[in-house]
Amino acid sequence: MSDTESVADGYPAAAADDQYPSLPATSWAVLGMLTLGEGLTGYDLKKWADWSIGFFYWSPSISQIYAELKRLEKAGLVESEVVSEPGERGRRVYRITAEGTRAVRNWSRDAPVEQPVLKHGLMLRLWMGHLNEPEQLKALVRSHIENMETMRGRATLHAEHATREPSWAFSQMSLVWAERYFQAEVDLARQMLDDIDAAAAEFSHVRKRDELGNPLPEVTGSWRAVEDFVEGLEP
């Protein structure tokens, strides 16, 4: 059986060479999109990413796409050709190579699962909530809820229309996950509306503030004691 042939049930056999090169995750995302059997331009990849992996991983700029394609072609993982239609400007179309397929298959199977990187802008602002009034914080949360409901609706729409090709089954599954994720964000944010009131009530017990209104600690360096205590509990 060759590397590109499949085992029973349509799933690919493990490649004989289980190695993969060191590439940034964005390169693997591009290679993954190119395993779905079509030659794609950089613009095609940008649009496809926007309505698929952009919901849970990466919304690239067109310059990022072309930088990745250049890197991958130089490494022999993709190849390209200029395709011209009568009366139209030629388009450079990229396809994954056999080496690229082996590499991304091995990476998807064997690469360590990384912890997701969470950069939650709203939570950063709520973390410093003592700088604002509770009602202003709640307005921020309501704005976040509105944004998440919009994203949930978009993910739902794309998931419902990602059923045209059987090969999109796992892509569609991931879009359904994105829909659930945005709903979870909505649920968590709604809970925060009550949590803000609870935090404000606790904050009202602050005894001293500086001339700018910033709270002063009752015991200087308390955070160091907490850090030492928590580190002592970690395995």
Side-chain angles (χ1 to χ4, degrees):
M1 178 180 291
S2 71
D3 290 330
T4 56
E5 290 178 327
S6 301
V7 296
D9 300 323
Y11 289 96
D17 180 1
D18 62 357
Q19 301 300 308
Y20 54 89
S22 177
L23 293 172
T26 48
S27 288
W28 297 119
V30 170
L31 285 173
M33 285 188 285
L34 288 173
T35 61
L36 290 169
E38 292 190 56
L40 300 170
T41 66
Y43 180 76
D44 294 334
L45 287 161
K46 157 70 175 165
K47 298 300 291 183
W48 199 340
D50 284 347
W51 66 260
S52 58
I53 63 175
F55 281 104
F56 52 82
Y57 184 73
W58 182 50
S59 294
S61 66
I62 193 68
S63 61
Q64 286 178 301
I65 289 283
Y66 280 111
E68 295 302 331
L69 289 169
K70 182 176 180 180
R71 182 204 311 269
L72 295 169
E73 188 165 25
K74 184 176 181 180
L77 303 178
V78 303
E79 57 190 10
S80 70
E81 62 176 336
V82 176
V83 177
S84 299
E85 298 291 339
E88 294 184 2
R89 183 179 178 181
R91 302 178 302 124
R92 182 166 293 278
V93 174
Y94 294 83
R95 294 183 183 276
I96 195 166
T97 63
E99 183 179 354
T101 297
R102 285 194 296 270
V104 70
R105 181 178 295 157
N106 291 335
W107 175 83
S108 68
R109 183 187 66 233
D110 298 332
V113 176
E114 299 176 347
Q115 291 187 357
V117 177
L118 181 61
K119 297 174 66 176
H120 205 297
L122 173 68
M123 287 310 304
L124 179 61
R125 295 166 76 175
L126 293 178
W127 177 81
M128 56 183 76
H130 60 279
L131 300 175
N132 281 294
E133 295 298 322
E135 288 308 311
Q136 176 60 29
L137 298 177
K138 289 181 181 181
L140 296 175
V141 172
R142 292 186 183 102
S143 179
H144 177 68
I145 290 173
E146 184 177 343
N147 290 338
M148 292 299 96
E149 288 177 335
T150 297
M151 292 298 294
R152 181 194 61 200
R154 288 185 57 212
T156 300
L157 181 65
H158 288 292
E160 289 174 347
H161 291 274
T163 58
R164 299 185 183 185
E165 296 283 343
S167 61
W168 294 355
F170 292 102
S171 299
Q172 197 257 356
M173 176 192 73
S174 299
L175 287 168
V176 171
W177 177 91
E179 176 187 359
R180 295 170 183 158
Y181 169 81
F182 292 125
Q183 181 59 53
E185 277 281 335
V186 169
D187 295 340
L188 288 169
R190 286 176 176 157
Q191 180 61 50
M192 288 300 295
L193 295 173
D194 293 331
D195 293 343
I196 287 170
D197 288 333
E202 178 65 21
F203 186 75
S204 69
H205 297 149
V206 171
R207 298 177 183 178
K208 296 184 292 184
R209 302 179 185 234
D210 65 16
E211 64 276 9
L212 297 176
N214 295 321
L216 296 173
E218 296 185 5
V219 179
T220 302
S222 289
W223 66 270
R224 293 188 182 91
V226 173
E227 179 185 40
D228 292 342
F229 177 75
V230 172
E231 286 186 349
L233 296 177
E234 291 179 348

